[in-house]
Amino acid sequence: MDTGMLDVPGARLYYEVRGSGPVLLVMLGGSTDPAMAAPLAEILSARYTVITYDRRGYSRSPLSQPFGGHPVEQHASDALHLLDAAGPAPACLFATHAGALIAFDLLARRPERVRRLVAHEPPVYELLPDAERWRLMTAEALDRFEREGAGPAMRLMGEETGMAAPGPPGPGLPEWLRDMLTRIAANAEPNLRHELRAFSRYLPDAAALREAPLVVAYGAEDQGTLFHRTTLAVAGHLGRYAVELPGDHVGYLRQPAAFAEALHACLSA
């Protein structure tokens, strides 16, 4: 694995590169950390040049200017800088949760840079029949963040969405896992302060994406969950079927070998 820092307007992006072959950019979401994708990246590095990275303001990617007012577009521009640094050929993208929203924006604006996108469980609440409930949840989480801090706000969101945030690292954990959990805990604050409101209202550009090379996917173990519902809603919005990948919302971490095979099939179809 090689690591590096890429200067982009307003930030420096930490990234990791594994393997050789066509470029595959992995885009995670929320307050997660790319170390969660390391097992998947190791397996796929036999077929791809796999790039994982910290989004601006998260983990090891410091800001040199304050966050802007359009975080989805800003993160998409950062991802484009990473692709441009990797070479001129169109790249594959695997994007999950809020990372899928960033990837939708990137693909809509710069389709020539993307060979194929697999968008896994995108949290597009605005397409749901009960969208108002999720607007209220977002508002309540942000209010709780201002009053009580990131921990209570993240617990509320975990209870409502069924995706509890990981707790602080305990004793006896491997060093890499302890470091990752520490970074994830610190990422909650910028996620809530600068991104949650805009991300929760994001709608993919159906006109730009209907004919685009993308696959919308959900976890086989997530049938009936909130993110299964949002995935089906996005698939309908874009005029295509949703496909099933192994595991749950973090199947890429829990079942990396099976997930890697299924993901490769989607990317190479």
Side-chain angles (χ1 to χ4, degrees), residues 15-16 22-28 48-53 75-76 78-83 86 91-96 102-103 106 116-118 263 267:
Y15 64 88
E16 298 175 349
V23 171
L24 169 58
L25 180 64
V26 175
M27 307 167 72
L28 304 186
Y48 300 90
T49 299
V50 184
I51 302 172
T52 58
Y53 71 106
H75 286 304
D78 288 347
L80 281 166
H81 282 295
L82 284 165
L83 294 183
C92 294
L93 307 180
F94 167 62
T96 184
I102 298 167
L106 187 161
R116 179 157 295 190
L117 161 64
V118 175
L263 176 59
L267 292 171

PDB file of all heavy atoms in Angstrom, residues 15-16 22-28 48-53 75-76 78-83 86 91-96 102-103 106 116-118 263 267:
ATOM      1  N   TYR A  15      -4.764   9.891   1.117  1.00  0.00           N
ATOM      2  CA  TYR A  15      -5.271   8.781   0.315  1.00  0.00           C
ATOM      3  C   TYR A  15      -4.333   7.583   0.419  1.00  0.00           C
ATOM      4  O   TYR A  15      -3.143   7.707   0.769  1.00  0.00           O
ATOM      5  CB  TYR A  15      -5.452   9.196  -1.149  1.00  0.00           C
ATOM      6  CG  TYR A  15      -4.175   9.561  -1.866  1.00  0.00           C
ATOM      7  CD1 TYR A  15      -3.409   8.595  -2.523  1.00  0.00           C
ATOM      8  CD2 TYR A  15      -3.723  10.874  -1.891  1.00  0.00           C
ATOM      9  CE1 TYR A  15      -2.230   8.925  -3.168  1.00  0.00           C
ATOM     10  CE2 TYR A  15      -2.549  11.217  -2.535  1.00  0.00           C
ATOM     11  CZ  TYR A  15      -1.804  10.240  -3.170  1.00  0.00           C
ATOM     12  OH  TYR A  15      -0.628  10.572  -3.808  1.00  0.00           O
ATOM     13  N   GLU A  16      -4.885   6.423   0.104  1.00  0.00           N
ATOM     14  CA  GLU A  16      -4.135   5.163   0.064  1.00  0.00           C
ATOM     15  C   GLU A  16      -4.393   4.483  -1.275  1.00  0.00           C
ATOM     16  O   GLU A  16      -5.512   4.521  -1.788  1.00  0.00           O
ATOM     17  CB  GLU A  16      -4.576   4.245   1.205  1.00  0.00           C
ATOM     18  CG  GLU A  16      -4.316   4.831   2.582  1.00  0.00           C
ATOM     19  CD  GLU A  16      -4.849   3.986   3.727  1.00  0.00           C
ATOM     20  OE1 GLU A  16      -5.617   3.036   3.459  1.00  0.00           O
ATOM     21  OE2 GLU A  16      -4.508   4.299   4.883  1.00  0.00           O
ATOM     22  N   PRO A  22      -7.225  -1.171 -13.662  1.00  0.00           N
ATOM     23  CA  PRO A  22      -8.126  -0.017 -13.763  1.00  0.00           C
ATOM     24  C   PRO A  22      -8.343   0.636 -12.403  1.00  0.00           C
ATOM     25  O   PRO A  22      -8.395  -0.043 -11.378  1.00  0.00           O
ATOM     26  CB  PRO A  22      -9.432  -0.629 -14.294  1.00  0.00           C
ATOM     27  CG  PRO A  22      -9.057  -1.944 -14.864  1.00  0.00           C
ATOM     28  CD  PRO A  22      -7.862  -2.435 -14.104  1.00  0.00           C
ATOM     29  N   VAL A  23      -8.483   1.941 -12.392  1.00  0.00           N
ATOM     30  CA  VAL A  23      -8.682   2.662 -11.137  1.00  0.00           C
ATOM     31  C   VAL A  23     -10.084   2.410 -10.594  1.00  0.00           C
ATOM     32  O   VAL A  23     -11.077   2.477 -11.327  1.00  0.00           O
ATOM     33  CB  VAL A  23      -8.454   4.173 -11.341  1.00  0.00           C
ATOM     34  CG1 VAL A  23      -8.871   4.964 -10.098  1.00  0.00           C
ATOM     35  CG2 VAL A  23      -6.989   4.452 -11.659  1.00  0.00           C
ATOM     36  N   LEU A  24     -10.143   2.118  -9.302  1.00  0.00           N
ATOM     37  CA  LEU A  24     -11.398   1.980  -8.572  1.00  0.00           C
ATOM     38  C   LEU A  24     -11.322   2.890  -7.356  1.00  0.00           C
ATOM     39  O   LEU A  24     -10.521   2.657  -6.443  1.00  0.00           O
ATOM     40  CB  LEU A  24     -11.622   0.529  -8.133  1.00  0.00           C
ATOM     41  CG  LEU A  24     -12.769   0.278  -7.139  1.00  0.00           C
ATOM     42  CD1 LEU A  24     -14.104   0.749  -7.697  1.00  0.00           C
ATOM     43  CD2 LEU A  24     -12.840  -1.200  -6.756  1.00  0.00           C
ATOM     44  N   LEU A  25     -12.137   3.940  -7.348  1.00  0.00           N
ATOM     45  CA  LEU A  25     -12.190   4.865  -6.221  1.00  0.00           C
ATOM     46  C   LEU A  25     -13.308   4.430  -5.280  1.00  0.00           C
ATOM     47  O   LEU A  25     -14.459   4.265  -5.705  1.00  0.00           O
ATOM     48  CB  LEU A  25     -12.440   6.286  -6.714  1.00  0.00           C
ATOM     49  CG  LEU A  25     -12.517   7.377  -5.634  1.00  0.00           C
ATOM     50  CD1 LEU A  25     -11.186   7.523  -4.908  1.00  0.00           C
ATOM     51  CD2 LEU A  25     -12.951   8.709  -6.251  1.00  0.00           C
ATOM     52  N   VAL A  26     -12.972   4.235  -4.005  1.00  0.00           N
ATOM     53  CA  VAL A  26     -13.928   3.816  -2.985  1.00  0.00           C
ATOM     54  C   VAL A  26     -14.336   5.043  -2.181  1.00  0.00           C
ATOM     55  O   VAL A  26     -13.484   5.762  -1.642  1.00  0.00           O
ATOM     56  CB  VAL A  26     -13.326   2.743  -2.068  1.00  0.00           C
ATOM     57  CG1 VAL A  26     -14.290   2.391  -0.935  1.00  0.00           C
ATOM     58  CG2 VAL A  26     -12.969   1.498  -2.878  1.00  0.00           C
ATOM     59  N   MET A  27     -15.647   5.278  -2.088  1.00  0.00           N
ATOM     60  CA  MET A  27     -16.175   6.486  -1.456  1.00  0.00           C
ATOM     61  C   MET A  27     -17.151   6.082  -0.363  1.00  0.00           C
ATOM     62  O   MET A  27     -18.263   5.613  -0.652  1.00  0.00           O
ATOM     63  CB  MET A  27     -16.861   7.359  -2.510  1.00  0.00           C
ATOM     64  CG  MET A  27     -15.976   7.649  -3.711  1.00  0.00           C
ATOM     65  SD  MET A  27     -16.859   8.348  -5.129  1.00  0.00           S
ATOM     66  CE  MET A  27     -17.182  10.007  -4.510  1.00  0.00           C
ATOM     67  N   LEU A  28     -16.735   6.248   0.896  1.00  0.00           N
ATOM     68  CA  LEU A  28     -17.601   5.939   2.021  1.00  0.00           C
ATOM     69  C   LEU A  28     -18.361   7.191   2.436  1.00  0.00           C
ATOM     70  O   LEU A  28     -18.160   8.268   1.893  1.00  0.00           O
ATOM     71  CB  LEU A  28     -16.780   5.380   3.183  1.00  0.00           C
ATOM     72  CG  LEU A  28     -15.924   4.149   2.881  1.00  0.00           C
ATOM     73  CD1 LEU A  28     -15.294   3.619   4.164  1.00  0.00           C
ATOM     74  CD2 LEU A  28     -16.718   3.055   2.183  1.00  0.00           C
ATOM     75  N   TYR A  48      -7.694  -4.295  -9.470  1.00  0.00           N
ATOM     76  CA  TYR A  48      -7.844  -2.858  -9.661  1.00  0.00           C
ATOM     77  C   TYR A  48      -6.734  -2.098  -8.936  1.00  0.00           C
ATOM     78  O   TYR A  48      -6.126  -2.613  -7.990  1.00  0.00           O
ATOM     79  CB  TYR A  48      -9.184  -2.368  -9.098  1.00  0.00           C
ATOM     80  CG  TYR A  48     -10.412  -2.977  -9.710  1.00  0.00           C
ATOM     81  CD1 TYR A  48     -10.975  -4.145  -9.188  1.00  0.00           C
ATOM     82  CD2 TYR A  48     -11.026  -2.393 -10.815  1.00  0.00           C
ATOM     83  CE1 TYR A  48     -12.109  -4.710  -9.745  1.00  0.00           C
ATOM     84  CE2 TYR A  48     -12.164  -2.950 -11.380  1.00  0.00           C
ATOM     85  CZ  TYR A  48     -12.704  -4.104 -10.841  1.00  0.00           C
ATOM     86  OH  TYR A  48     -13.832  -4.669 -11.403  1.00  0.00           O
ATOM     87  N   THR A  49      -6.528  -0.879  -9.358  1.00  0.00           N
ATOM     88  CA  THR A  49      -5.795   0.090  -8.550  1.00  0.00           C
ATOM     89  C   THR A  49      -6.837   0.747  -7.649  1.00  0.00           C
ATOM     90  O   THR A  49      -7.625   1.589  -8.096  1.00  0.00           O
ATOM     91  CB  THR A  49      -5.112   1.153  -9.422  1.00  0.00           C
ATOM     92  OG1 THR A  49      -4.171   0.521 -10.290  1.00  0.00           O
ATOM     93  CG2 THR A  49      -4.393   2.181  -8.564  1.00  0.00           C
ATOM     94  N   VAL A  50      -6.866   0.340  -6.396  1.00  0.00           N
ATOM     95  CA  VAL A  50      -7.922   0.756  -5.474  1.00  0.00           C
ATOM     96  C   VAL A  50      -7.443   1.971  -4.683  1.00  0.00           C
ATOM     97  O   VAL A  50      -6.411   1.930  -4.017  1.00  0.00           O
ATOM     98  CB  VAL A  50      -8.307  -0.376  -4.512  1.00  0.00           C
ATOM     99  CG1 VAL A  50      -9.484   0.057  -3.640  1.00  0.00           C
ATOM    100  CG2 VAL A  50      -8.653  -1.644  -5.283  1.00  0.00           C
ATOM    101  N   ILE A  51      -8.232   3.046  -4.760  1.00  0.00           N
ATOM    102  CA  ILE A  51      -7.930   4.273  -4.025  1.00  0.00           C
ATOM    103  C   ILE A  51      -8.987   4.462  -2.943  1.00  0.00           C
ATOM    104  O   ILE A  51     -10.187   4.474  -3.228  1.00  0.00           O
ATOM    105  CB  ILE A  51      -7.913   5.501  -4.951  1.00  0.00           C
ATOM    106  CG1 ILE A  51      -6.891   5.321  -6.081  1.00  0.00           C
ATOM    107  CG2 ILE A  51      -7.601   6.774  -4.157  1.00  0.00           C
ATOM    108  CD1 ILE A  51      -6.946   6.410  -7.134  1.00  0.00           C
ATOM    109  N   THR A  52      -8.530   4.580  -1.701  1.00  0.00           N
ATOM    110  CA  THR A  52      -9.400   4.979  -0.600  1.00  0.00           C
ATOM    111  C   THR A  52      -8.861   6.296  -0.055  1.00  0.00           C
ATOM    112  O   THR A  52      -7.678   6.595  -0.191  1.00  0.00           O
ATOM    113  CB  THR A  52      -9.448   3.921   0.509  1.00  0.00           C
ATOM    114  OG1 THR A  52      -8.114   3.689   0.991  1.00  0.00           O
ATOM    115  CG2 THR A  52     -10.016   2.609  -0.004  1.00  0.00           C
ATOM    116  N   TYR A  53      -9.739   7.090   0.578  1.00  0.00           N
ATOM    117  CA  TYR A  53      -9.271   8.403   1.021  1.00  0.00           C
ATOM    118  C   TYR A  53     -10.158   8.943   2.141  1.00  0.00           C
ATOM    119  O   TYR A  53     -11.277   8.472   2.353  1.00  0.00           O
ATOM    120  CB  TYR A  53      -9.260   9.388  -0.154  1.00  0.00           C
ATOM    121  CG  TYR A  53     -10.614   9.833  -0.657  1.00  0.00           C
ATOM    122  CD1 TYR A  53     -11.101  11.107  -0.393  1.00  0.00           C
ATOM    123  CD2 TYR A  53     -11.429   8.972  -1.397  1.00  0.00           C
ATOM    124  CE1 TYR A  53     -12.346  11.522  -0.846  1.00  0.00           C
ATOM    125  CE2 TYR A  53     -12.677   9.378  -1.865  1.00  0.00           C
ATOM    126  CZ  TYR A  53     -13.124  10.653  -1.584  1.00  0.00           C
ATOM    127  OH  TYR A  53     -14.360  11.055  -2.030  1.00  0.00           O
ATOM    128  N   HIS A  75     -17.290  17.844  -2.106  1.00  0.00           N
ATOM    129  CA  HIS A  75     -16.676  16.524  -2.011  1.00  0.00           C
ATOM    130  C   HIS A  75     -16.550  15.869  -3.393  1.00  0.00           C
ATOM    131  O   HIS A  75     -15.573  15.148  -3.659  1.00  0.00           O
ATOM    132  CB  HIS A  75     -17.494  15.627  -1.085  1.00  0.00           C
ATOM    133  CG  HIS A  75     -17.333  15.962   0.369  1.00  0.00           C
ATOM    134  ND1 HIS A  75     -16.113  16.003   0.993  1.00  0.00           N
ATOM    135  CD2 HIS A  75     -18.254  16.273   1.330  1.00  0.00           C
ATOM    136  CE1 HIS A  75     -16.272  16.303   2.267  1.00  0.00           C
ATOM    137  NE2 HIS A  75     -17.565  16.468   2.500  1.00  0.00           N
ATOM    138  N   ALA A  76     -17.530  16.097  -4.272  1.00  0.00           N
ATOM    139  CA  ALA A  76     -17.431  15.555  -5.626  1.00  0.00           C
ATOM    140  C   ALA A  76     -16.250  16.162  -6.367  1.00  0.00           C
ATOM    141  O   ALA A  76     -15.531  15.462  -7.099  1.00  0.00           O
ATOM    142  CB  ALA A  76     -18.727  15.807  -6.386  1.00  0.00           C
ATOM    143  N   ASP A  78     -13.504  17.229  -4.975  1.00  0.00           N
ATOM    144  CA  ASP A  78     -12.314  16.590  -4.401  1.00  0.00           C
ATOM    145  C   ASP A  78     -12.073  15.225  -5.031  1.00  0.00           C
ATOM    146  O   ASP A  78     -10.927  14.866  -5.366  1.00  0.00           O
ATOM    147  CB  ASP A  78     -12.482  16.428  -2.894  1.00  0.00           C
ATOM    148  CG  ASP A  78     -12.394  17.731  -2.131  1.00  0.00           C
ATOM    149  OD1 ASP A  78     -11.963  18.751  -2.714  1.00  0.00           O
ATOM    150  OD2 ASP A  78     -12.762  17.734  -0.939  1.00  0.00           O
ATOM    151  N   ALA A  79     -13.137  14.439  -5.177  1.00  0.00           N
ATOM    152  CA  ALA A  79     -12.997  13.115  -5.785  1.00  0.00           C
ATOM    153  C   ALA A  79     -12.503  13.222  -7.221  1.00  0.00           C
ATOM    154  O   ALA A  79     -11.687  12.401  -7.678  1.00  0.00           O
ATOM    155  CB  ALA A  79     -14.324  12.370  -5.725  1.00  0.00           C
ATOM    156  N   LEU A  80     -12.966  14.235  -7.944  1.00  0.00           N
ATOM    157  CA  LEU A  80     -12.479  14.444  -9.312  1.00  0.00           C
ATOM    158  C   LEU A  80     -10.994  14.770  -9.329  1.00  0.00           C
ATOM    159  O   LEU A  80     -10.256  14.306 -10.219  1.00  0.00           O
ATOM    160  CB  LEU A  80     -13.270  15.571  -9.978  1.00  0.00           C
ATOM    161  CG  LEU A  80     -14.651  15.187 -10.496  1.00  0.00           C
ATOM    162  CD1 LEU A  80     -15.464  16.439 -10.822  1.00  0.00           C
ATOM    163  CD2 LEU A  80     -14.530  14.296 -11.731  1.00  0.00           C
ATOM    164  N   HIS A  81     -10.527  15.536  -8.362  1.00  0.00           N
ATOM    165  CA  HIS A  81      -9.087  15.819  -8.267  1.00  0.00           C
ATOM    166  C   HIS A  81      -8.302  14.521  -8.059  1.00  0.00           C
ATOM    167  O   HIS A  81      -7.216  14.339  -8.641  1.00  0.00           O
ATOM    168  CB  HIS A  81      -8.812  16.795  -7.132  1.00  0.00           C
ATOM    169  CG  HIS A  81      -9.135  18.226  -7.463  1.00  0.00           C
ATOM    170  ND1 HIS A  81      -8.456  18.940  -8.426  1.00  0.00           N
ATOM    171  CD2 HIS A  81     -10.060  19.078  -6.950  1.00  0.00           C
ATOM    172  CE1 HIS A  81      -8.946  20.172  -8.495  1.00  0.00           C
ATOM    173  NE2 HIS A  81      -9.925  20.272  -7.621  1.00  0.00           N
ATOM    174  N   LEU A  82      -8.825  13.630  -7.226  1.00  0.00           N
ATOM    175  CA  LEU A  82      -8.161  12.340  -7.016  1.00  0.00           C
ATOM    176  C   LEU A  82      -8.125  11.531  -8.308  1.00  0.00           C
ATOM    177  O   LEU A  82      -7.091  10.925  -8.646  1.00  0.00           O
ATOM    178  CB  LEU A  82      -8.881  11.550  -5.928  1.00  0.00           C
ATOM    179  CG  LEU A  82      -8.643  11.983  -4.490  1.00  0.00           C
ATOM    180  CD1 LEU A  82      -9.680  11.359  -3.571  1.00  0.00           C
ATOM    181  CD2 LEU A  82      -7.237  11.599  -4.029  1.00  0.00           C
ATOM    182  N   LEU A  83      -9.234  11.502  -9.049  1.00  0.00           N
ATOM    183  CA  LEU A  83      -9.259  10.767 -10.316  1.00  0.00           C
ATOM    184  C   LEU A  83      -8.295  11.381 -11.324  1.00  0.00           C
ATOM    185  O   LEU A  83      -7.590  10.658 -12.040  1.00  0.00           O
ATOM    186  CB  LEU A  83     -10.678  10.760 -10.881  1.00  0.00           C
ATOM    187  CG  LEU A  83     -11.738  10.006 -10.086  1.00  0.00           C
ATOM    188  CD1 LEU A  83     -13.073  10.029 -10.825  1.00  0.00           C
ATOM    189  CD2 LEU A  83     -11.312   8.570  -9.806  1.00  0.00           C
ATOM    190  N   ALA A  86      -4.873  10.338 -10.647  1.00  0.00           N
ATOM    191  CA  ALA A  86      -4.621   8.919 -10.943  1.00  0.00           C
ATOM    192  C   ALA A  86      -4.418   8.658 -12.427  1.00  0.00           C
ATOM    193  O   ALA A  86      -3.888   7.603 -12.795  1.00  0.00           O
ATOM    194  CB  ALA A  86      -5.774   8.070 -10.417  1.00  0.00           C
ATOM    195  N   ALA A  91     -12.669   5.992 -14.595  1.00  0.00           N
ATOM    196  CA  ALA A  91     -12.456   5.142 -13.425  1.00  0.00           C
ATOM    197  C   ALA A  91     -13.757   4.491 -12.990  1.00  0.00           C
ATOM    198  O   ALA A  91     -14.855   4.990 -13.255  1.00  0.00           O
ATOM    199  CB  ALA A  91     -11.890   5.967 -12.277  1.00  0.00           C
ATOM    200  N   CYS A  92     -13.622   3.383 -12.288  1.00  0.00           N
ATOM    201  CA  CYS A  92     -14.758   2.762 -11.610  1.00  0.00           C
ATOM    202  C   CYS A  92     -14.922   3.404 -10.235  1.00  0.00           C
ATOM    203  O   CYS A  92     -13.948   3.831  -9.613  1.00  0.00           O
ATOM    204  CB  CYS A  92     -14.529   1.263 -11.441  1.00  0.00           C
ATOM    205  SG  CYS A  92     -14.478   0.338 -12.986  1.00  0.00           S
ATOM    206  N   LEU A  93     -16.170   3.466  -9.767  1.00  0.00           N
ATOM    207  CA  LEU A  93     -16.465   4.001  -8.444  1.00  0.00           C
ATOM    208  C   LEU A  93     -17.296   3.000  -7.668  1.00  0.00           C
ATOM    209  O   LEU A  93     -18.279   2.467  -8.197  1.00  0.00           O
ATOM    210  CB  LEU A  93     -17.258   5.310  -8.535  1.00  0.00           C
ATOM    211  CG  LEU A  93     -16.724   6.454  -9.391  1.00  0.00           C
ATOM    212  CD1 LEU A  93     -17.687   7.643  -9.318  1.00  0.00           C
ATOM    213  CD2 LEU A  93     -15.338   6.872  -8.959  1.00  0.00           C
ATOM    214  N   PHE A  94     -16.916   2.751  -6.423  1.00  0.00           N
ATOM    215  CA  PHE A  94     -17.806   2.096  -5.473  1.00  0.00           C
ATOM    216  C   PHE A  94     -18.091   3.110  -4.381  1.00  0.00           C
ATOM    217  O   PHE A  94     -17.183   3.595  -3.707  1.00  0.00           O
ATOM    218  CB  PHE A  94     -17.195   0.842  -4.863  1.00  0.00           C
ATOM    219  CG  PHE A  94     -17.975   0.349  -3.671  1.00  0.00           C
ATOM    220  CD1 PHE A  94     -19.294  -0.057  -3.815  1.00  0.00           C
ATOM    221  CD2 PHE A  94     -17.413   0.330  -2.398  1.00  0.00           C
ATOM    222  CE1 PHE A  94     -20.049  -0.478  -2.715  1.00  0.00           C
ATOM    223  CE2 PHE A  94     -18.152  -0.094  -1.298  1.00  0.00           C
ATOM    224  CZ  PHE A  94     -19.470  -0.502  -1.460  1.00  0.00           C
ATOM    225  N   ALA A  95     -19.371   3.448  -4.216  1.00  0.00           N
ATOM    226  CA  ALA A  95     -19.749   4.492  -3.271  1.00  0.00           C
ATOM    227  C   ALA A  95     -20.913   4.007  -2.435  1.00  0.00           C
ATOM    228  O   ALA A  95     -21.894   3.490  -2.967  1.00  0.00           O
ATOM    229  CB  ALA A  95     -20.131   5.769  -4.021  1.00  0.00           C
ATOM    230  N   THR A  96     -20.797   4.170  -1.122  1.00  0.00           N
ATOM    231  CA  THR A  96     -21.832   3.671  -0.228  1.00  0.00           C
ATOM    232  C   THR A  96     -22.316   4.766   0.702  1.00  0.00           C
ATOM    233  O   THR A  96     -21.580   5.706   1.031  1.00  0.00           O
ATOM    234  CB  THR A  96     -21.320   2.462   0.581  1.00  0.00           C
ATOM    235  OG1 THR A  96     -22.390   1.927   1.378  1.00  0.00           O
ATOM    236  CG2 THR A  96     -20.165   2.827   1.477  1.00  0.00           C
ATOM    237  N   ILE A 102     -22.332  11.763  -3.196  1.00  0.00           N
ATOM    238  CA  ILE A 102     -21.189  12.461  -3.793  1.00  0.00           C
ATOM    239  C   ILE A 102     -20.902  11.899  -5.183  1.00  0.00           C
ATOM    240  O   ILE A 102     -20.655  12.642  -6.142  1.00  0.00           O
ATOM    241  CB  ILE A 102     -19.961  12.315  -2.878  1.00  0.00           C
ATOM    242  CG1 ILE A 102     -20.223  12.956  -1.517  1.00  0.00           C
ATOM    243  CG2 ILE A 102     -18.722  12.928  -3.535  1.00  0.00           C
ATOM    244  CD1 ILE A 102     -19.202  12.587  -0.456  1.00  0.00           C
ATOM    245  N   ALA A 103     -20.966  10.580  -5.299  1.00  0.00           N
ATOM    246  CA  ALA A 103     -20.692   9.942  -6.593  1.00  0.00           C
ATOM    247  C   ALA A 103     -21.755  10.291  -7.628  1.00  0.00           C
ATOM    248  O   ALA A 103     -21.441  10.477  -8.810  1.00  0.00           O
ATOM    249  CB  ALA A 103     -20.599   8.430  -6.414  1.00  0.00           C
ATOM    250  N   LEU A 106     -20.809  13.692  -8.901  1.00  0.00           N
ATOM    251  CA  LEU A 106     -19.629  13.596  -9.762  1.00  0.00           C
ATOM    252  C   LEU A 106     -20.003  13.055 -11.137  1.00  0.00           C
ATOM    253  O   LEU A 106     -19.616  13.622 -12.173  1.00  0.00           O
ATOM    254  CB  LEU A 106     -18.597  12.694  -9.078  1.00  0.00           C
ATOM    255  CG  LEU A 106     -17.199  12.546  -9.682  1.00  0.00           C
ATOM    256  CD1 LEU A 106     -16.238  12.005  -8.637  1.00  0.00           C
ATOM    257  CD2 LEU A 106     -17.177  11.638 -10.901  1.00  0.00           C
ATOM    258  N   ARG A 116     -17.854   3.131 -14.556  1.00  0.00           N
ATOM    259  CA  ARG A 116     -19.084   2.591 -13.977  1.00  0.00           C
ATOM    260  C   ARG A 116     -19.102   2.913 -12.483  1.00  0.00           C
ATOM    261  O   ARG A 116     -18.078   2.869 -11.810  1.00  0.00           O
ATOM    262  CB  ARG A 116     -19.192   1.083 -14.186  1.00  0.00           C
ATOM    263  CG  ARG A 116     -20.465   0.487 -13.575  1.00  0.00           C
ATOM    264  CD  ARG A 116     -20.865  -0.812 -14.204  1.00  0.00           C
ATOM    265  NE  ARG A 116     -21.233  -0.625 -15.608  1.00  0.00           N
ATOM    266  CZ  ARG A 116     -21.797  -1.568 -16.348  1.00  0.00           C
ATOM    267  NH1 ARG A 116     -22.065  -2.750 -15.839  1.00  0.00           N
ATOM    268  NH2 ARG A 116     -22.093  -1.334 -17.610  1.00  0.00           N
ATOM    269  N   LEU A 117     -20.289   3.229 -12.004  1.00  0.00           N
ATOM    270  CA  LEU A 117     -20.523   3.498 -10.587  1.00  0.00           C
ATOM    271  C   LEU A 117     -21.433   2.433 -10.010  1.00  0.00           C
ATOM    272  O   LEU A 117     -22.487   2.129 -10.588  1.00  0.00           O
ATOM    273  CB  LEU A 117     -21.168   4.877 -10.417  1.00  0.00           C
ATOM    274  CG  LEU A 117     -21.892   5.155  -9.087  1.00  0.00           C
ATOM    275  CD1 LEU A 117     -20.923   5.140  -7.910  1.00  0.00           C
ATOM    276  CD2 LEU A 117     -22.649   6.484  -9.160  1.00  0.00           C
ATOM    277  N   VAL A 118     -21.049   1.874  -8.862  1.00  0.00           N
ATOM    278  CA  VAL A 118     -21.952   1.056  -8.052  1.00  0.00           C
ATOM    279  C   VAL A 118     -22.287   1.866  -6.808  1.00  0.00           C
ATOM    280  O   VAL A 118     -21.419   2.149  -5.977  1.00  0.00           O
ATOM    281  CB  VAL A 118     -21.328  -0.295  -7.671  1.00  0.00           C
ATOM    282  CG1 VAL A 118     -22.260  -1.061  -6.733  1.00  0.00           C
ATOM    283  CG2 VAL A 118     -21.034  -1.120  -8.916  1.00  0.00           C
ATOM    284  N   LEU A 263     -19.225  -7.228  -6.249  1.00  0.00           N
ATOM    285  CA  LEU A 263     -18.949  -5.876  -6.724  1.00  0.00           C
ATOM    286  C   LEU A 263     -18.208  -5.917  -8.064  1.00  0.00           C
ATOM    287  O   LEU A 263     -18.529  -5.161  -8.995  1.00  0.00           O
ATOM    288  CB  LEU A 263     -18.141  -5.117  -5.678  1.00  0.00           C
ATOM    289  CG  LEU A 263     -17.678  -3.711  -6.053  1.00  0.00           C
ATOM    290  CD1 LEU A 263     -18.869  -2.815  -6.382  1.00  0.00           C
ATOM    291  CD2 LEU A 263     -16.844  -3.108  -4.915  1.00  0.00           C
ATOM    292  N   LEU A 267     -19.183  -4.206 -11.626  1.00  0.00           N
ATOM    293  CA  LEU A 267     -18.298  -3.242 -12.292  1.00  0.00           C
ATOM    294  C   LEU A 267     -17.890  -3.692 -13.689  1.00  0.00           C
ATOM    295  O   LEU A 267     -17.636  -2.864 -14.563  1.00  0.00           O
ATOM    296  CB  LEU A 267     -17.052  -3.011 -11.450  1.00  0.00           C
ATOM    297  CG  LEU A 267     -17.254  -2.282 -10.120  1.00  0.00           C
ATOM    298  CD1 LEU A 267     -15.987  -2.318  -9.300  1.00  0.00           C
ATOM    299  CD2 LEU A 267     -17.685  -0.830 -10.356  1.00  0.00           C
TER     300      LEU A 267
END
